Amino acid sequence: MQYTNMGPVKLVIIQPTTFCNLDCDYCYLPNRQSKLQMSLDLLEPIFKNLFHSQLIDQEFTVIWHAGEPLTMPIAFYNAAFQNIKHHISVHSN
């Protein structure tokens, strides 16, 4: 893939779950009662490919969006940020 007309990536939006316990009447998401959660194994290729794509500049923002991100266990986010830190260190070497 040629990246000459793309990037740099400044924003990465990830949906860790569709579950939401708020039930806002304006919400557009279907399946909000589904308690499926994103596997940590899926984060590995997301960030590996992102960092190897050379589309990352100095900084980018990760937004945990859709569903209610706070229904995910804190261990998920701890592991996710460890994964990101790992790819930052590999990428910067």
Side-chain angles (χ1 to χ4, degrees):
M1 177 182 269
Q2 293 184 356
Y3 299 110
T4 55
N5 295 327
M6 302 167 86
V9 170
K10 298 286 186 186
L11 181 64
V12 177
I13 301 173
I14 300 176
Q15 179 181 4
T17 183
T18 58
F19 179 68
C20 184
N21 55 352
L22 300 178
D23 198 28
C24 299
D25 59 357
Y26 58 83
C27 185
Y28 57 91
L29 290 174
N31 304 322
R32 292 183 303 229
Q33 298 307 311
S34 171
K35 293 190 177 183
L36 293 175
Q37 297 180 346
M38 174 183 276
S39 165
L40 286 169
D41 293 337
L42 184 57
L43 290 178
E44 174 65 24
I46 290 172
F47 289 107
K48 180 179 180 182
N49 290 328
L50 191 58
F51 279 101
H52 283 93
S53 72
Q54 299 178 359
L55 292 174
I56 295 294
D57 200 4
Q58 293 294 319
E59 295 182 8
F60 65 96
T61 300
V62 175
I63 293 180
W64 304 100
H65 178 66
E68 174 48 62
L70 296 177
T71 63
M72 292 292 286
I74 192 70
F76 173 86
Y77 294 106
N78 288 336
F81 283 105
Q82 284 302 109
N83 185 295
I84 294 168
K85 288 177 185 178
H86 165 75
H87 287 289
I88 290 171
S89 67
V90 168
H91 179 70
S92 64
N93 291 334

